Amino acid sequence: MKAFLERCIQSVQDGDAELAAGLAREALERGYSPLEVIENGFVKGIREVGRLWEEGVLFLPELVMSAEAMKLAMSLLRPALAKGARLATRGHVVIGTIEGDIHDIGKSLVATMLEANGFRITDLGADVPVGRFVDEVEKSDADCLAISALLTTTMSGQRRVIEGLKQRGLRLRVKVLVGGAPCSHEWAQQIGADGYAGDAVAAVVLAQELLGSGTAQ
Ligand code: B1M
């Protein structure tokens, strides 16, 4: 398994989408846990690419190629992740990445894990305007708003969503969950969110706690 995960990491680092897709298919054929292959394989690869890019070892086109390889592998593994989805819903979660921010890989993983654990999901996508989050709460029966931000320059948008909810008298209607690399428990507290989750599994546990919908599966 270790050697297989190393190949997954390497395929993303090399930006080799064809190889990454082949490994995702192979993982499914071999019956490996899709979550383990994502978290300990492909995600490790993209994080290493981010580190090398920050150090100036890699350039933006290489980062883009790695992200494409990662996204392709994820698109193949996601249906297997979501297979356990229950029919009965544990609550309705509206999720998206905040405006100005196009990072959607982590947000999509969180959405898939929530869905697999019985939540109904409305995924607004990435680069979602502040007002769009607020409008969606107003017009839907959302129980929880999950806002992802990957950039220090965009995380303030999470605060603006909460302010927008307050202004429209909607703040008490939904629980607000924030996440993404630059966020933290302190940040969540500072902006008046109901909670912060550091990864997709923690997001499921937190959503269950916030919505009072039982223990983690
Ligand atoms: Co960009 N990028 N990027 N990038 N990128 C980061 C985030 C960065 C940390 C890289 C670095 O410098 N080391 C850096 C941000 C620095 C900062 O703000 N302090 C950065 C930058 C600067 C940029 C650009 C500005 C670069 C440029 O153009 N000069 C630009 C911004 C574009 C924009 O958004 N406007 C940019 C562009 C890109 C690509 C398009 C090339 C690509 C994104 C492709 C895509 O998503 N469609 C990309 C990538 C791939 C990355 C890195 C390398 C990887 C992100 C990723 O997908 N990780 C990233 C470095 C890194 O994260 N180490 C980086 C895998 C994913 C599974 O993890 O997203 O962390 P993550 O999600 C986790 C948790 O954070 C959490 O759960 C997920 C699963 O465990 N989580 C939540 C996430 N959202 C959550 C929500 C929740 C709960 C948990 O509840 C609501």
Side-chain angles (χ1 to χ4, degrees):
M1 185 64 175
K2 195 165 176 280
F4 183 81
L5 294 174
E6 288 298 332
R7 287 167 67 207
C8 296
I9 294 171
Q10 197 61 48
S11 70
V12 171
Q13 284 186 25
D14 293 344
D16 189 337
E18 208 176 312
L19 181 59
L23 288 166
R25 287 193 196 95
E26 193 178 328
L28 294 173
E29 277 160 24
R30 291 190 184 197
Y32 291 158
S33 151
L35 186 60
E36 188 178 358
V37 173
I38 290 172
E39 292 280 13
N40 296 322
F42 296 115
V43 168
K44 279 195 175 170
I46 197 75
R47 294 221 163 114
E48 178 61 7
V49 166
R51 194 185 64 75
L52 293 171
W53 180 70
E54 204 171 11
E55 284 181 1
V57 177
L58 296 179
F59 295 100
L60 196 57
E62 290 161 312
L63 181 62
V64 172
M65 281 174 72
S66 291
E68 290 304 321
M70 165 97 195
K71 284 188 82 168
L72 187 57
M74 293 271 293
S75 70
L76 294 166
L77 291 170
R78 210 175 288 132
L81 259 189
K83 236 180 191 168
R86 268 159 220 83
L87 285 177
T89 176
R90 290 181 149 184
H92 180 195
V93 181
V94 171
I95 190 167
T97 305
I98 196 67
E99 70 186 7
D101 198 329
I102 61 169
H103 295 88
D104 67 350
I105 297 172
K107 178 270 302 165
S108 299
L109 184 54
V110 171
T112 304
M113 286 301 291
L114 286 169
E115 192 171 24
N117 279 274
F119 291 92
R120 183 157 59 90
I121 300 296
T122 299
D123 189 343
L124 302 179
D127 191 13
V128 180
V130 166
R132 173 90 172 82
F133 280 106
V134 181
D135 289 346
E136 193 62 30
V137 170
E138 187 161 50
K139 74 168 203 226
S140 76
D141 61 348
D143 303 296
C144 178
L145 197 52
I147 317 165
S148 182
L150 263 286
L151 297 169
T152 44
T153 49
T154 58
M155 62 196 286
S156 60
Q158 294 173 327
R159 186 203 296 271
R160 281 185 280 120
V161 173
I162 292 173
E163 282 164 2
L165 289 171
K166 283 183 188 159
Q167 277 162 16
R168 303 249 288 262
L170 298 166
R171 179 62 187 94
L172 297 177
R173 206 195 271 188
V174 278
K175 299 290 182 188
V176 179
L177 196 160
V178 294
C183 307
S184 62
H185 290 291
E186 292 70 33
W187 170 248
Q189 224 168 13
Q190 205 181 315
I191 65 174
D194 294 293
Y196 155 80
D199 61 36
V201 173
V204 171
V205 173
L206 183 59
Q208 286 169 343
E209 277 172 21
L210 290 176
L211 304 185
S213 49
T215 50
Q217 299 294 302

